[in-house]
Amino acid sequence: MTGATRGIGHVAARRVLAESPQSHLLVLARPGTPDVVRSFGADPARVSVIDADLASMGSMQAAAFHVAALVSDGVVPPIRVMALNGGVQHTNALTVTEDGFESTFAVNVLANHVLIRLLGEDAAPAAHTVVTVSDTHFGDLRHNLGMVPGPRWADPQTLVRPGAFPRPARASAGRMAYSTSKLAGIYLVHAYSRHFAGDGTFHAYNPGFVPATGLAREAAAPARYVMRRIMPLLTLSPLATSAQRAGELLTDAMFAGNAAPNGAYIDRGRVVDSSPESYDIGRETELWDAVESLTAPFLGPDSDRQ
C-alpha cells in the first residue's frame, strides 16, 4: 500500500490487518514517518515498512526492488493486492520534483506506474491492483461541488512539466493539476487492463469527497479550517464520505478481485461508468506511450512486459 499512514489509507490498512489475519502488509511510506507500525494496532511482525518518496522516481524504483527482494527471498509471499492510494494536491502547478516533473503528475501518476511495471513479476497469479482516483475528473458541479476545476487535458509531455495550466501560481491551477492527474489515473487503469490482460485485474476506486483527510494540508489557513471543521458536516449527507467509510470501501475494492470487470471504475462500492472523457482511447494510448518513455530510466531492461 501507498498512502497508508493517514486518512482513508490508514483506515483501510487497519481493516486489512484486522479482518485478514493471514495477510502481511507492505507499507511504502516516506522515510522518517513516525510510528507507522504501532499505529496499525496489529502484530508488528505482520507489517513491513519500505522507505519510499512518491515524488522521487529513483526512490520508487528502490522501493520496488526492496519489495521484489523480500518476495524473492521468501520473506513475504507474492503480492496478491496492490493498493496505490498515495496522492497529493498542491496550491499551484509549479511544484517541481528532483526529476524535473510537476509534482502532482509525478506523485499521482508516474509513481504508480513505476510500481506497477516493476512489481508485476512479483505478483501472485490473478493479483489485483487498485488505484485511488477522484470524481473531480468529471469536472461538473454534481461531482465536485464547484470546489475543484475540471481536468484540462493536454499532451502528457506538457502535463508532466510545471506551468501546464493557466495562471500556474494560483491555487486553482493546483486543483486543476489534481483533477487532470486523476483523469490520467483512470486512463492508465484502462491501459493496464488491456496491456496486462490475463495477468490480474486493475480497478480505479473513487472515495468521493472526503473532508479532513490531509489532502488540503498545503492550503491557506482559512481553507484548512473549513476542510477540517465545517466540510465534515457534509458527511451526514450524500455529498461527502467520512474517512472511516471511505477507508472501509477502499478495503472492499482491494478485495473485489474478479467481482468487478477488469478496468472498472468503483464509485464508493458500486461499479459505474467514469466520465465519457475518460474513455478516449486516443488519449489513453498517448498517455501510455508518454509514461513509458518518462519512466523508462527507472524501469530497467527487464521491465518490458506488455
Side-chain angles (χ1 to χ4, degrees):
M1 288 190 70
T2 62
T5 61
R6 66 172 74 204
I8 68 175
H10 191 262
V11 173
R14 288 179 62 94
R15 188 177 176 210
V16 167
L17 290 166
E19 298 185 8
S20 183
Q22 302 306 313
S23 292
H24 188 99
L25 183 65
L26 298 171
V27 175
L28 275 62
R30 186 175 300 172
T33 304
D35 298 328
V36 174
V37 176
R38 185 185 305 175
S39 72
F40 294 129
D43 180 358
R46 296 179 55 212
V47 182
S48 298
V49 180
I50 313 296
D51 285 348
D53 180 356
L54 273 67
S56 165
M57 297 306 106
S59 177
M60 299 313 296
Q61 179 193 56
F65 287 168
H66 189 168
V67 173
L70 293 176
V71 174
S72 176
D73 294 343
V75 177
V76 298
I79 300 165
R80 291 190 298 122
V81 179
M82 270 203 294
L84 304 180
N85 178 66
V88 68
Q89 179 180 309
H90 290 292
T91 55
N92 59 65
L94 296 171
T95 307
V96 186
T97 70
E98 64 184 37
D99 303 306
F101 302 137
E102 191 278 318
S103 180
T104 312
F105 196 92
V107 171
N108 296 355
V109 181
L110 297 183
N112 291 343
H113 190 70
V114 170
L115 287 178
I116 288 171
R117 296 288 276 112
L118 288 179
L119 293 178
E121 298 299 330
D122 300 291
H128 181 44
T129 300
V130 177
V131 178
T132 298
V133 292
S134 167
D135 53 7
T136 59
H137 83 278
F138 280 90
D140 58 18
L141 183 63
R142 174 189 165 198
H143 289 91
N144 62 29
L145 306 179
M147 295 185 294
V148 180
R152 185 184 179 108
W153 194 255
D155 182 334
Q157 296 288 354
T158 298
L159 294 175
V160 77
R161 304 301 173 188
F165 301 95
R167 300 180 179 179
R170 300 185 62 151
S172 59
R175 291 193 288 268
M176 188 177 290
Y178 176 81
S179 63
T180 304
S181 74
K182 294 304 183 178
L183 175 60
I186 296 173
Y187 284 137
L188 286 179
V189 166
H190 294 164
Y192 298 137
S193 69
R194 299 180 204 278
H195 283 266
F196 306 142
D199 290 345
T201 51
F202 297 84
H203 293 151
Y205 165 66
N206 169 47
F209 173 48
V210 186
T213 62
L215 189 62
R217 56 188 173 273
E218 293 185 10
R224 292 199 309 271
Y225 179 84
V226 170
M227 288 294 288
R228 285 199 312 264
R229 303 298 183 186
I230 298 175
M231 287 299 182
L233 297 174
L234 291 177
T235 61
L236 301 175
S237 76
L239 297 175
T241 314
S242 70
Q244 179 67 34
R245 182 59 178 156
E248 292 169 354
L249 290 169
L250 172 57
T251 315
D252 292 343
M254 289 167 61
F255 291 99
N258 292 325
N262 204 356
Y265 178 74
I266 302 176
D267 178 9
R268 287 160 285 192
R270 300 179 300 118
V271 175
V272 301
D273 289 339
S274 48
S275 70
E277 186 179 10
S278 70
Y279 294 97
D280 187 320
I281 189 66
R283 288 183 180 177
E284 176 192 316
T285 302
E286 177 185 50
L287 180 62
W288 173 267
D289 290 343
V291 296
E292 283 283 282
S293 173
L294 291 164
T295 60
F298 308 99
L299 299 183
D302 297 327
S303 298
D304 57 357
R305 183 174 65 104
Q306 293 188 32

